[in-house]
Amino acid sequence: MLGLNRKLMQLEKEGKEIKVGLIGCGQMGRGMISQIESMKGMRVAATADLKTDIIQNAYMTAGVEPQHIVTTTEIETAEKALRENKVVATTDVSMVIALPGIDVIVDATGIPNLGAEIAWKTIMNKKHIVMLNVEADITVGPLLHQMAEASSVVYTGSAGDEPGCIMELYDFADALGFDIVALGKGKNNPLNYEANPDSAAAEAKEKGSSPKMLASFQDGTKTMVEMNAVANATGFLPDKPGMHGPEGTVKELPDIFRLQEEGGILKSKKIVDYVNGVAPGVFAIISSEKEEVNHEMQYLKMGPGPNYILFRPYHLTSLETPLSVARAYLNQSATIAPWHGLQAETVATAKKDLQPGDRLDGIGGYTVYGTLYSQEESKAANAFPIGLVDPNVVVKRAVKKGDILTYDDIEQERESTIWKLRSLQAQSF
């Protein structure tokens, strides 16, 4: 991300700015609007959400005067507002994507099907797309990335999201020629496969967050999804289904992530994993066979070796997303994307005994959680991806608690956009 500040400053000096279209004005979206209002050379020019009053409040909280906020679903009115340096609040997602004055779209909905549709329409409109929707990315990202390249636009995950932060460490170490043993993140809360909106309700109210979203963190699904994105970007794989998830401190990680014959937990190198005890940080475990490099690393107090840790103790989620917007627009490059294709799959696993007729209620719900498998293992099991889970999916035969769901266990009442794109992806790769 080096140098983006100077490029943005130059853009502002030239009387220009990157006009961002934001889809979704929840906690992530609101924070991003305020952050961008503090930046040079960029503005959230139009925002779509189900409730325009939330958008208006977000803009005013960020310092935008009420008279400079235009609420409309008419594209001509929106275009006029942008020409007058005003901002637009709307319920019409397609209008924001189609607005000629918008340069980059950010999807902050967190809904896999909606995110897939937003990304597809954005690419069709020849605009860059920044995904704060890792669930959509791990399901159909390889196809969307390929489509974006063919359209000469950028498809990218977000800086600040843990996969993007891990990718920065990976790129740094890989560029320097280090051997990279493992990539991972800390988990914020104890793993509870049975977590659901009811069990998460009290804590969610205290934190001002969605009970369903919090449950998706507690049951491990979000961790699996995030490391799935890293796997697809780097080619690294889970060392076992669900990953190891050890306990450890930052100092202990270089020894934990060693091969089993060396006293560690790994069956192989180049893996993705998570750790209880280092949240909210992300890490890369690196090594070198070069004597002089090891001598220098020890001199620099990076530890005794042979493994060393690169550790970032924070990630600022959507507050860092503007850096990916700038990178896409100014450098025509992605922060993180599925460059290696579908390397891993987060598969739906029964949260309770499921019976014929049960509907799958989505990520963070009452019926399923996600477990990360290599794509090879997932394909062999005919496993059902977590990103395709929604209430249109009905269980057609009994599945025991803790078992993964397969395509044979379910039927779909209505084909959604993400299902169509997934089918097209399967044909394309």
Side-chain angles (χ1 to χ4, degrees):
M1 300 298 182
L2 293 174
L4 288 178
N5 55 335
R6 287 179 287 278
K7 288 186 177 182
L8 289 169
M9 190 181 300
Q10 182 61 35
L11 205 62
E12 187 170 89
K13 283 181 180 178
E14 294 170 0
K16 302 174 184 177
E17 64 183 3
I18 304 168
K19 287 187 166 59
V20 180
L22 172 64
I23 314 299
C25 200
Q27 181 181 344
M28 297 285 191
R30 295 195 301 272
M32 199 181 78
I33 289 173
S34 281
Q35 192 66 49
I36 288 179
E37 278 297 307
S38 303
M39 296 173 64
K40 294 178 172 62
M42 188 185 300
R43 194 174 210 200
V44 179
T47 302
D49 195 271
L50 293 173
K51 298 180 179 179
T52 54
D53 60 322
I54 292 175
I55 303 172
Q56 292 161 356
N57 287 334
Y59 276 124
M60 288 187 288
T61 301
V64 179
E65 297 293 333
Q67 64 269 27
H68 293 152
I69 306 169
V70 177
T71 302
T72 184
T73 56
E74 300 292 331
I75 194 164
E76 295 82 4
T77 304
E79 286 183 272
K80 181 174 182 290
L82 296 192
R83 288 195 300 271
E84 294 173 351
N85 202 32
K86 295 179 180 179
V87 297
V88 173
T90 186
T91 56
D92 191 340
V93 171
S94 295
M95 185 193 76
V96 173
I97 295 171
L99 272 171
I102 297 296
D103 302 303
V104 183
I105 297 292
V106 176
D107 168 32
T109 63
I111 302 170
N113 183 59
L114 182 54
E117 185 174 346
I118 289 165
W120 177 69
K121 287 182 176 179
T122 299
I123 294 165
M124 292 296 100
N125 277 273
K126 303 286 187 180
K127 300 183 193 298
H128 305 303
I129 174 71
V130 179
M131 299 291 284
L132 263 170
N133 191 330
V134 189
E135 294 81 3
D137 174 69
I138 64 162
T139 309
V140 292
L143 175 67
L144 294 169
H145 174 60
Q146 185 183 69
M147 290 170 59
E149 285 194 326
S151 299
S152 299
V153 295
V154 175
Y155 170 90
T156 180
S158 176
D161 224 358
E162 283 154 305
C165 295
I166 293 169
M167 201 69 208
E168 290 178 16
L169 296 178
Y170 172 86
D171 284 350
F172 172 80
D174 188 51
L176 287 172
F178 281 103
D179 297 320
I180 305 172
V181 177
L183 298 168
K185 57 160 280 183
K187 192 175 186 310
N188 282 307
N189 35 48
L191 186 61
N192 174 15
Y193 292 127
E194 297 179 356
N196 59 50
D198 288 342
S199 67
E203 186 177 344
K205 184 177 181 181
E206 182 182 329
K207 292 181 175 179
S209 61
S210 158
K212 196 170 185 181
M213 179 180 287
L214 182 59
S216 74
F217 283 95
Q218 293 174 344
D219 68 17
T221 301
K222 286 292 287 188
T223 294
M224 302 293 154
V225 165
E226 287 163 348
M227 297 318 298
N228 195 158
V230 175
N232 291 349
T234 62
F236 284 35
L237 298 174
D239 200 40
K240 69 172 190 175
M243 302 179 286
H244 290 284
E247 298 272 348
T249 64
V250 174
K251 188 176 180 180
E252 292 170 331
L253 297 192
D255 287 330
I256 290 172
F257 288 104
R258 296 178 69 176
L259 293 173
Q260 290 174 353
E261 56 265 32
E262 298 170 348
I265 64 172
L266 301 183
K267 291 182 288 186
S268 60
K269 296 183 179 181
K270 297 186 181 298
I271 63 98
V272 293
D273 218 308
Y274 70 95
V275 174
N276 296 289
V278 299
V282 298
F283 63 87
I285 305 298
I286 63 174
S287 66
S288 175
E289 295 181 353
K290 301 294 195 316
E291 181 181 343
E292 286 296 336
V293 172
N294 280 288
H295 174 75
E296 190 75 3
M297 292 291 275
Q298 291 155 20
Y299 172 77
L300 294 169
K301 302 188 186 305
M302 292 295 291
N307 287 353
Y308 310 95
I309 184 167
L310 301 177
F311 181 70
R312 178 177 167 175
Y314 66 92
H315 63 98
L316 305 185
T317 58
S318 63
L319 301 184
E320 294 185 56
T321 301
L323 296 177
S324 291
V325 171
R327 182 170 176 168
Y329 181 87
L330 295 168
N331 298 348
Q332 287 74 55
S333 64
T335 301
I336 181 171
W339 290 293
H340 286 257
L342 209 61
Q343 293 292 312
E345 191 86 83
T346 303
V347 307
T349 309
K351 195 174 277 191
K352 62 179 182 178
D353 288 343
L354 299 175
Q355 303 300 327
D358 286 346
R359 292 182 181 274
L360 303 185
D361 56 350
I363 294 170
Y366 299 87
T367 54
V368 293
Y369 61 88
T371 305
L372 185 62
Y373 281 72
S374 71
Q375 175 60 16
E376 185 178 337
E377 292 169 323
S378 172
K379 190 174 181 179
N382 197 29
F384 183 59
I386 196 77
L388 296 181
V389 169
D390 67 34
N392 290 306
V393 179
V394 181
V395 177
K396 67 179 184 181
R397 63 185 189 186
V399 181
K400 290 183 179 180
K401 177 181 177 180
D403 286 352
I404 65 170
L405 278 76
T406 70
Y407 280 99
D408 296 327
D409 295 324
I410 58 93
E411 58 187 359
Q412 181 192 192
E413 290 186 337
R414 178 178 58 83
E415 190 176 40
S416 60
T417 298
I418 198 167
W419 275 75
K420 292 175 183 176
L421 291 176
R422 178 72 181 208
S423 297
L424 182 57
Q425 179 174 277
Q427 297 167 22
S428 301
F429 296 89

